Amino acid sequence: GARRPEGVDETIADFARRRVGKNAYEMLIDPMVGGIHAGNPEKLSLKSCFARMYEMETEYGTLTKAMIQLRKNKKKQQSGGGPSGPGGVLTTFKGGLSQIIEEIAKKLGRETIISGHPVEKVSYLSNNGKVKYQVAFSSSGKLDPLEADVVLFATPAYATSRISSELDK
């Protein structure tokens, strides 16, 4: 990829498109950054979010050269010294992300979780002055609307926005 102009703090999206291409950015980097930072890579600063990558490219010209040099440096320091590469490890739950939902249900004392059925919308439901919600499933879900005291969204922001749009009214 092309070099970043000196001193420019580009967005994560610009950096990724320049380094790995548009397709890799859209398929890999955009979802990853959304998951890690819950933000828009088109607006997030590379220098602020991934300072080490910014420094590595600035110092060595490319991330590949940086990693090769850092590996050489690490081998030289094997007897003592700390890690010289970018830190952090991406992890997930051993049983998958469904563990989050299961644990929330346990903490809330809920025995029943409905999953695998597309939700069309969530709206307010008036019930003697107490706030309740109505969860309407899409017709393909073949479930009647559900009345709920609490609704947890485990959906991407764009889906949550669509599903919950009536809550803004």
Side-chain angles (χ1 to χ4, degrees):
R3 286 189 169 221
R4 176 183 66 240
E6 196 170 323
V8 170
D9 182 14
E10 66 189 331
T11 67
I12 295 171
D14 289 338
F15 173 82
R17 282 190 291 262
R18 181 170 55 81
R19 284 294 174 196
V20 297
K22 181 180 181 227
N23 288 339
Y25 161 70
E26 289 174 355
M27 298 300 290
L28 300 171
I29 307 302
D30 186 18
M32 181 193 75
V33 170
I36 294 171
H37 293 284
N40 181 350
E42 298 287 351
K43 297 186 187 225
L44 292 172
S45 156
L46 174 70
K47 190 175 181 180
S48 296
C49 295
F50 296 105
R52 188 66 178 130
M53 287 178 106
Y54 179 87
E55 291 167 8
M56 289 166 59
E57 185 186 42
T58 300
E59 186 174 343
Y60 297 99
T62 72
L63 297 179
T64 305
K65 285 181 186 175
M67 295 306 291
I68 291 168
Q69 187 60 48
L70 293 171
R71 175 153 282 206
K72 286 179 185 177
N73 293 348
K74 186 175 182 179
K75 284 183 181 179
K76 288 179 187 176
Q77 298 173 353
Q78 282 294 320
S79 60
S84 58
V89 175
L90 296 176
T91 61
T92 190
F93 296 92
K94 285 182 182 179
L97 292 176
S98 64
Q99 281 186 275
I100 294 172
I101 296 167
E102 292 162 7
E103 286 301 314
I104 290 171
K106 283 181 193 175
K107 296 287 183 196
L108 293 175
R110 306 294 194 261
E111 299 289 327
T112 305
I113 297 175
I114 297 174
S115 62
H117 297 280
V119 173
E120 186 67 34
K121 69 179 176 178
V122 174
S123 55
Y124 289 115
L125 183 64
S126 180
N127 190 350
N128 298 327
K130 186 175 181 194
V131 175
K132 289 207 173 245
Y133 302 93
Q134 182 173 13
V135 179
F137 298 94
S138 68
S139 58
S140 64
K142 296 181 181 162
L143 290 175
D144 292 330
L146 174 73
E147 185 177 308
D149 296 321
V150 177
V151 177
L152 299 174
F153 291 94
T155 53
Y158 68 88
T160 304
S161 174
R162 180 185 52 79
I163 294 167
S164 66
S165 64
E166 290 196 17
L167 298 177
D168 281 340
K169 297 176 183 175

